Every structure is written in C-alpha cells, then in structure tokens.
C-alpha cells in the first residue's frame, strides 16, 4: 500500500512539475510555442490555479469534478494554431473533456484522423 502510494505521488509530481526546489520560476520560463513540451513552472502554476481538477464547465454552469486522468489543454489559442504555453492559455481538463475541446478547436474531421 505504501509503495503504491509513493509511486503515485512521484508520477503526479512529474506530471505536474511539483518539486521542493524548482530550477526556474514562472517569470524566468520561456513560454514560446517552440515544442509541445509545457514547462514545469507553467504546469505547477496551472495545477495550483485549477486546484487539480478539470476546468470544463457545461452549459448549465456545472464544473466537471474529475481529478484523475487530467491533461493540459490550450484553451485560449490552441497549440496547433500558434498558442503559447502561458498559464493564461493553458488549463487542466480530464481526458474526455480535452478530446471534446480539441474537437471544437480543430473540427471532427481533423480529430478523427
């Protein structure tokens, strides 16, 4: 039980850029869209801001309660259309809602490919 919990904590730390002594702060981080890699400082800031929960809100104003299978979604301007990696342009979404939002951004045809 302890080993599984420890492994999950390490995986979460890697995914969301959590560390006791970060190398760079958000202000020193390059957020230019040169690759798909989202810098650790941005991942930390987004995870903290979104409180580790999917940020999708349905048309009735209800926020998705998912806290697992979270992915980073470029919601202001999609990465494929030149969107950068600033915390303002990135948010957390569960896998289902990330796919839905990508379909909205790029279209069903492109996402089916």
């Amino acid at each position: 039980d302890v080993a599984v919990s420890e492994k999950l904590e390490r995986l979460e730390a890697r995914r969301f850029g959590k560390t006791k002594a970060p190398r760079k702060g958000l202000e020193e981080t390059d957020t230019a869209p040169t690759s798909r890699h989202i810098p650790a400082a941005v991942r930390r800031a987004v995870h903290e801001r979104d409180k580790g929960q999917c940020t999708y809100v349905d048309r009735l104003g209800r926020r998705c309660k998912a806290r697992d299978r979270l992915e980073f979604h470029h919601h202001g301007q999609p990465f494929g259309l030149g969107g950068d990696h600033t915390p303002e342009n990135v948010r957390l979404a569960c896998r289902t809602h990330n796919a839905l939002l990508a379909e909205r951004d790029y279209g069903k045809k492109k996402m089916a490919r």
Side-chain angles (χ1 to χ4, degrees), residues 36-90:
R36 280 206 153 287
H37 173 73
I38 298 174
V42 174
R43 289 182 286 153
R44 278 191 298 275
V46 169
H47 187 264
E48 186 177 321
R49 179 197 65 212
D50 296 344
K51 296 177 177 46
Q53 181 179 344
C54 178
T55 57
Y56 181 81
V57 177
D58 69 10
R59 56 190 155 98
L60 299 176
R62 297 175 298 198
R63 182 174 175 182
C64 177
K65 296 179 193 266
R67 292 187 174 276
D68 59 335
R69 299 178 63 198
L70 296 175
E71 300 175 349
F72 292 97
H73 177 76
H74 290 78
H75 72 97
Q77 183 175 12
F79 177 79
L81 301 175
D84 60 10
H85 299 309
T86 59
E88 295 77 26
N89 194 42
V90 178

Side-chain angles (χ1 to χ4, degrees), residues 13-50:
R14 187 181 325 154
R15 172 174 251 170
F16 299 117
K18 293 181 181 178
T19 182
K20 291 178 184 174
R23 291 183 201 162
K24 288 184 180 180
L26 194 54
E27 52 284 333
E28 301 134 11
T29 301
D30 179 20
T31 58
T34 55
S35 76
R36 280 206 153 287
H37 173 73
I38 298 174
V42 174
R43 289 182 286 153
R44 278 191 298 275
V46 169
H47 187 264
E48 186 177 321
R49 179 197 65 212
D50 296 344

